[in-house]
Amino acid sequence: VLGAAMFFIEIGGRSVLYTGDYSMEEDRHLMAAELPRYHTSPDVLIVESTYGVQVHASRAEREARFTGTIERIVSGGGRCLIPVFALGRAQELLLILDEYWKDHPHLQSIPIYYASKMASRALRVYQTYANMMNARIRSQMDLGNPFSFSHIRNLKSIDVNTFDDRGP
């Protein structure tokens, strides 16, 4: 699932446009939705609309609030558990955290783990098809795969016999 899809169907002289979740704003890894051009407007439009009528803060503000909250908690010795219900959102948050840890050396001794079989499977797809992502991700491919994180590990890769669960 690399973003949402739109389906335009014409049957019996009627047309339907169905969309999954989409965003007109580019995020860390996916391009903004491209609205299809049709010769007519659909007779019926079906749109997923979890956040359809909400006005969001800018992406930079949301990321700063997210990373600032995480840093404040772990710097104070706390731990963060972040439940993520959407596949693309999990990868976006991992990209944000990995980049933030790279830019803040004082945090690099604090481990980040993810524990989602579905996120792991999706990560493999994103790693394989990184060339299908937005320009930012494609440009990072010259340096290495941006989905091969430097500061984030899958919890399944941890040896339970030597895992030290003390600290943030």
Side-chain angles (χ1 to χ4, degrees), residues 59-86:
R59 178 163 306 284
E61 288 176 73
R62 292 190 316 261
E63 286 185 14
R65 188 172 58 238
F66 172 68
T67 54
T69 300
I70 300 271
E71 180 174 3
R72 189 176 68 253
I73 291 168
V74 299
S75 292
R79 298 173 184 205
C80 296
L81 177 62
I82 306 166
V84 181
F85 67 91

Side-chain angles (χ1 to χ4, degrees), residues 24-40:
M24 298 305 294
E25 183 179 336
E26 188 169 291
D27 65 22
R28 283 289 177 138
H29 59 309
L30 297 176
M31 295 174 271
E34 294 178 16
L35 294 179
R37 305 251 184 246
Y38 300 106
H39 59 279
T40 62

Side-chain angles (χ1 to χ4, degrees), residues 2-147:
L2 299 176
M6 296 183 183
F7 299 94
F8 186 80
I9 304 166
E10 291 180 301
I11 299 176
R14 297 285 183 199
S15 60
V16 176
L17 177 61
Y18 172 83
T19 76
D21 185 15
Y22 69 93
S23 174
M24 298 305 294
E25 183 179 336
E26 188 169 291
D27 65 22
R28 283 289 177 138
H29 59 309
L30 297 176
M31 295 174 271
E34 294 178 16
L35 294 179
R37 305 251 184 246
Y38 300 106
H39 59 279
T40 62
S41 294
D43 297 308
V44 177
L45 174 64
I46 303 169
V47 180
E48 189 282 333
S49 60
T50 301
Y51 300 107
V53 296
Q54 294 185 7
V55 177
H56 295 290
S58 73
R59 178 163 306 284
E61 288 176 73
R62 292 190 316 261
E63 286 185 14
R65 188 172 58 238
F66 172 68
T67 54
T69 300
I70 300 271
E71 180 174 3
R72 189 176 68 253
I73 291 168
V74 299
S75 292
R79 298 173 184 205
C80 296
L81 177 62
I82 306 166
V84 181
F85 67 91
L87 287 179
R89 185 69 63 227
Q91 282 67 38
E92 183 176 20
L93 294 177
L94 293 172
L95 285 166
I96 291 167
L97 288 171
D98 198 56
E99 183 178 301
Y100 194 78
W101 254 237
K102 277 182 199 158
D103 294 342
H104 295 83
H106 66 281
L107 295 173
Q108 293 175 6
S109 64
I110 299 171
I112 303 174
Y113 302 104
Y114 68 93
S116 168
K117 189 175 245 183
M118 192 181 315
S120 294
R121 288 181 185 150
L123 250 166
R124 284 195 298 275
V125 172
Y126 279 86
Q127 288 170 332
T128 303
Y129 296 102
N131 62 321
M132 304 293 289
M133 302 291 127
N134 63 23
R136 182 175 188 272
I137 294 293
R138 288 192 313 269
S139 70
Q140 291 176 353
M141 290 298 291
D142 294 337
L143 305 173
N145 192 317
F147 294 101

